[in-house]
Amino acid sequence: MYIISDTISKKKIEYIQQKDEFDYLKSLIDSLEKGNSAGILLQGPPGTGKTLLAISLAKAYKASYYIIDGSPDLDRRDIEGNWELLKDETKFNYGPLTLAIKDANDEGIAFIIINEINAIRENEQISLNSLLSENHINLISKGFEKHELNSESKLIIIGTMNLGVIGINKLQESFEDRFIITPEISYPLKNKEIDIATRVSGCKEKVAEIVVDAARQIRKQAIQDYSITKIFSTRLVVNFCMLISLMPPKYLKHNIENVIINKLGTTTEEKKSIAMILDGKMFETKLKQELISKTTSIMNVEGMIDKDSLDQILTNTKVCVADYISKYGRSNAVRYNGSILWKLITWMWLNKRETLQDYFKLTEFLDLHTKYKQEQGKNYLFNGNITLSYIKWLYRQKSEDLKRFIDEYPIL
Ligand SMILES: Nc1ncnc2c1ncn2[C@@H]1O[C@H](COP(=O)(O)OP(=O)(O)O)[C@@H](O)[C@H]1O
Ligand SMILES: [Mg+2]
């Protein structure tokens, strides 16, 4: 029912502020009196980064955080703790509320993040109520064992609540009352959303612009005439931008259908209506143009590169390496075993960046960029260009793959 997340998460994706909401909340938490738990209720449409904002706040304090996914099935015992029947004894497993109190007492601050808090039943809200107003909980199933926040610590409870286009769920009034503030997170302004999509997905800015523009049009339509019931969220914008930048352009059509149309449209009518909006904006044509232009991917629609472009990239790289060797000598470029030295890469990054980036784009063929995404949670492109951290990662973590790659595309 809940996930305990450690503070050292591999994923580096952080919340990007729309205005100053992160700073504001951070300042609010800073100024809270110790010895108290405080509730913050983030409201807004789905996929606007509410959960991410909450996690990023916890990370800013290097604090432990517990995520509870609210649902009507959530039982009081899930959050307080429950008895487990072992062979010939029973064991009490403490739940996220008790664990968070302990962490806060040990470390000075801890966070509880409750997604879709409005989905929690009234009964379950009670255990949160006493924590919010009296800074302690009594475990009913464990003889009313009391767990209390000490006077030196803060416990931050962040609830997130999705306000969909249709149907707004409300919180119990007495419960809602206990949250000290209820900021509203809405869709970002156009340029901010383009910025978020570019930075989080690593796609070209132009790609993000086309997608955000379509998303806004579809949102507008959804509000106007209820012809589309699901929401084109910022999350969907980001995911779509990421997929189309990582996958060969020949799958663009599949991605538009599967990621946007089928996902947003529940009925045939809705799907048609979304497809029409996209067609009207020449969505596919415009995106394809961006995706196959050289700065994004070296692959063409078939996922191949034409021989001339490949030869050109390899020649440029060889010329550049030869230039370096003539200046600094071969021993500053390669080791005895043939592996290249980092010095050479740094020099190219500073002096011949485009050549270096074009060369490392060839690693797309080995799918190393997707591994990078999976392992590091980061994108290998920024604004369509290879990043230095991707190259560093290849060099440090994937040296075997890199060696094989260089054997295949020699630069000497
Ligand atoms: N302001 C933002 N900064 C960074 N990423 C964002 C932002 N808004 C949305 N996203 C993207 O949307 C995804 C989903 O956000 P999430 O926090 O789960 O939304 P919510 O909780 O509002 O439904 C994030 O993982 C990220 O990719
Ligand atoms: Mg969420």
Side-chain angles (χ1 to χ4, degrees):
M1 223 26 123
Y2 63 93
I3 327 156
I4 301 173
S5 319
D6 57 3
T7 42
I8 320 144
S9 164
K10 259 193 195 161
K11 292 216 164 150
K12 291 241 166 61
I13 299 172
E14 295 287 330
Y15 182 78
I16 298 166
Q17 316 198 62
Q18 295 182 21
K19 286 190 207 96
D20 57 358
E21 64 277 16
F22 180 91
D23 298 339
Y24 169 72
L25 291 172
K26 173 117 191 343
S27 163
L28 175 93
I29 297 170
D30 282 340
S31 59
L32 290 172
E33 226 180 306
K34 287 177 181 169
N36 283 310
S37 54
I40 296 169
L41 190 59
L42 300 175
Q43 315 188 45
T48 40
K50 298 182 295 299
T51 305
L52 187 62
L53 170 56
I55 295 173
S56 301
L57 279 167
K59 284 189 180 168
Y61 289 91
K62 299 192 167 50
S64 344
Y65 58 90
Y66 295 82
I67 299 179
I68 299 171
D69 286 324
S71 87
D73 302 333
L74 189 76
D75 189 277
R76 191 162 178 157
R77 284 166 294 192
D78 293 325
I79 48 178
E80 292 186 353
N82 53 34
W83 288 100
E84 191 186 338
L85 218 58
L86 299 174
K87 250 193 206 137
D88 39 23
E89 49 170 354
T90 50
K91 184 182 143 220
F92 192 79
N93 296 315
Y94 288 103
L97 287 199
T98 10
L99 293 174
I101 295 175
K102 186 177 183 308
D103 285 344
N105 287 342
D106 290 348
E107 292 155 25
I109 186 164
F111 287 72
I112 297 172
I113 299 164
I114 309 176
N115 284 323
E116 322 293 335
I117 196 166
N118 48 324
I120 299 183
R121 285 172 310 188
E122 210 173 333
N123 236 339
E124 276 51 43
Q125 295 178 8
I126 296 172
S127 45
L128 288 162
N129 268 350
S130 68
L131 187 55
L132 279 171
S133 43
E134 289 144 46
N135 304 317
H136 74 258
I137 53 166
N138 293 315
L139 303 180
I140 297 185
S141 45
K142 201 162 185 267
F144 286 90
E145 189 180 279
K146 190 175 177 183
H147 289 252
E148 189 165 27
L149 194 68
N150 69 26
S151 58
E152 283 308 304
S153 307
K154 298 178 186 178
L155 182 64
I156 313 298
I157 300 176
I158 304 182
T160 77
M161 218 171 127
N162 285 341
L163 306 176
V165 180
I166 296 168
I168 294 171
N169 295 314
K170 283 213 66 164
L171 268 194
Q172 294 300 315
E173 212 168 295
S174 66
F175 185 47
E176 184 166 1
D177 235 27
R178 290 184 160 87
F179 286 84
I180 51 173
I181 52 163
T182 57
E184 179 116 15
I185 310 286
S186 53
Y187 294 114
L189 295 174
K190 185 171 178 181
N191 285 337
K192 199 66 211 184
E193 193 164 14
I194 294 172
D195 182 39
I196 292 172
T198 312
R199 282 165 61 185
V200 181
S201 80
C203 71
K204 270 170 92 174
E205 194 175 326
K206 194 81 195 87
V207 168
E209 204 179 306
I210 298 168
V211 178
V212 167
D213 188 53
R216 290 169 65 89
Q217 181 68 41
I218 292 174
R219 274 174 211 155
K220 213 161 106 193
Q221 196 79 16
I223 294 166
Q224 255 166 25
D225 58 7
Y226 292 103
S227 62
I228 303 152
T229 39
K230 288 200 190 148
I231 295 198
F232 203 137
S233 64
T234 308
R235 175 197 285 124
L236 190 58
V237 169
V238 169
N239 288 345
F240 180 74
C241 287
M242 189 133 69
L243 275 179
I244 60 171
S245 314
L246 287 173
M247 289 171 71
K250 69 170 173 179
Y251 292 124
L252 177 64
K253 205 180 180 66
H254 295 61
N255 282 330
I256 294 176
E257 266 166 30
N258 297 328
V259 186
I260 299 180
I261 300 180
N262 292 343
K263 206 148 183 214
L264 291 178
T266 26
T267 62
T268 326
E269 279 310 300
E270 280 184 9
K271 286 179 191 171
K272 261 193 206 146
S273 151
I274 296 162
M276 259 169 62
I277 297 174
L278 295 179
D279 281 347
K281 291 202 158 285
M282 305 218 324
F283 190 63
E284 188 184 342
T285 320
K286 281 192 197 158
L287 277 180
K288 191 164 261 171
Q289 264 166 17
E290 288 304 322
L291 292 175
I292 56 181
S293 75
K294 219 175 123 256
T295 48
T296 292
S297 172
I298 45 154
M299 295 185 216
N300 62 20
V301 241
E302 266 74 51
M304 312 266 283
I305 181 172
D306 63 272
K307 200 177 167 309
D308 287 350
S309 314
L310 178 62
D311 285 349
Q312 190 63 57
I313 292 174
L314 292 179
T315 310
N316 289 348
T317 315
K318 280 178 186 162
V319 167
C320 178
V321 172
D323 181 25
Y324 174 89
I325 289 180
S326 75
K327 287 195 173 87
Y328 305 100
R330 202 184 156 90
S331 61
N332 274 316
V334 281
R335 292 196 191 89
Y336 293 115
N337 65 8
S339 63
I340 53 170
L341 289 167
W342 181 248
K343 276 190 253 187
L344 168 61
I345 295 178
T346 317
W347 184 83
M348 284 181 74
W349 179 261
L350 294 173
N351 297 286
K352 283 273 184 269
R353 188 166 304 177
E354 261 180 51
T355 308
L356 181 74
Q357 286 170 327
D358 281 348
Y359 180 71
F360 275 100
K361 272 213 182 102
L362 296 172
T363 58
E364 284 176 358
F365 292 119
L366 301 183
D367 245 4
L368 288 169
H369 60 307
T370 19
K371 274 191 203 153
Y372 178 67
K373 178 82 211 174
Q374 284 158 2
E375 285 182 22
Q376 304 291 307
K378 287 196 279 187
N379 220 285
Y380 78 119
L381 294 177
F382 180 73
N383 207 0
N385 296 315
I386 295 271
T387 65
L388 187 59
S389 29
Y390 171 62
I391 299 176
K392 259 189 202 150
W393 173 83
L394 283 173
Y395 192 81
R396 298 225 174 95
Q397 263 106 321
K398 290 282 172 271
S399 52
E400 277 306 306
D401 290 326
L402 186 62
K403 198 162 177 325
R404 237 171 288 136
F405 168 74
I406 294 175
D407 285 347
E408 182 138 345
Y409 303 104
I411 51 173
L412 284 163

